[in-house]
Amino acid sequence: MLPTEHRLRRREDFATAVRRGRRAGRPLLVVHLRNGATDPHAPGESVPPSRAGFVVSKAVGGAVVRNKVKRRLRHLMRDRIALLPPGSLVVVRALPQAGGADHAQLAQDLDAALKRLLGGGAR
């Protein structure tokens, strides 16, 4: 399970990541990443942790399938959240094909998208 401090919950945070972040698309999912560029004049001394949120629409499948996809994505992000710059916002949007994908396929697409967004891959 993804710890509470690493979860996106507010609508504004989702909107910021999707509208102002970079995007990498894969066959099963789309990952939006807003790097942790914080204002140096903002109050507070500590850097906020990286946070992740998930969007799984009804196009993916019924409630059981959607919840299964969300659980798998949360589990995968738990191991990868430390790779992100501090203060980053990540939104993982599952595409309809994700409903029929297994854990390894989701992991492969998530890794490829994060690698591309973090500067390790070409377009």
Side-chain angles (χ1 to χ4, degrees), residues 58 61-71:
K58 287 185 179 181
V64 173
V65 174
R66 290 195 312 270
N67 285 323
K68 181 174 69 171
V69 170
K70 279 189 278 191
R71 282 194 312 270

Side-chain angles (χ1 to χ4, degrees), residues 5-34:
E5 67 269 8
H6 292 294
R7 295 185 196 167
L8 275 183
R9 296 200 182 268
R10 294 182 19 207
R11 178 185 204 108
E12 296 83 20
D13 294 336
F14 276 89
T16 299
V18 172
R19 292 185 183 138
R20 296 187 180 156
R22 296 180 58 217
R23 179 182 70 206
R26 303 294 302 161
L28 301 177
L29 45 88
V30 177
V31 179
H32 300 268
L33 173 68
R34 171 78 172 157

Side-chain angles (χ1 to χ4, degrees), residues 22 112 115-123:
R22 296 180 58 217
K115 181 178 178 183
R116 181 173 157 199
L117 289 171
L118 294 173
R123 289 185 183 253

Side-chain angles (χ1 to χ4, degrees), residues 50-95:
S50 299
R51 294 179 293 155
F54 307 94
V55 178
V56 183
S57 72
K58 287 185 179 181
V60 173
V64 173
V65 174
R66 290 195 312 270
N67 285 323
K68 181 174 69 171
V69 170
K70 279 189 278 191
R71 282 194 312 270
R72 287 179 174 173
L73 289 173
R74 276 197 306 265
H75 178 76
L76 291 168
M77 276 306 297
R78 181 186 70 186
D79 299 333
R80 292 157 179 82
I81 199 84
L83 303 173
L84 302 173
S88 296
L89 302 178
V90 177
V91 173
V92 180
R93 183 167 45 97
L95 297 176

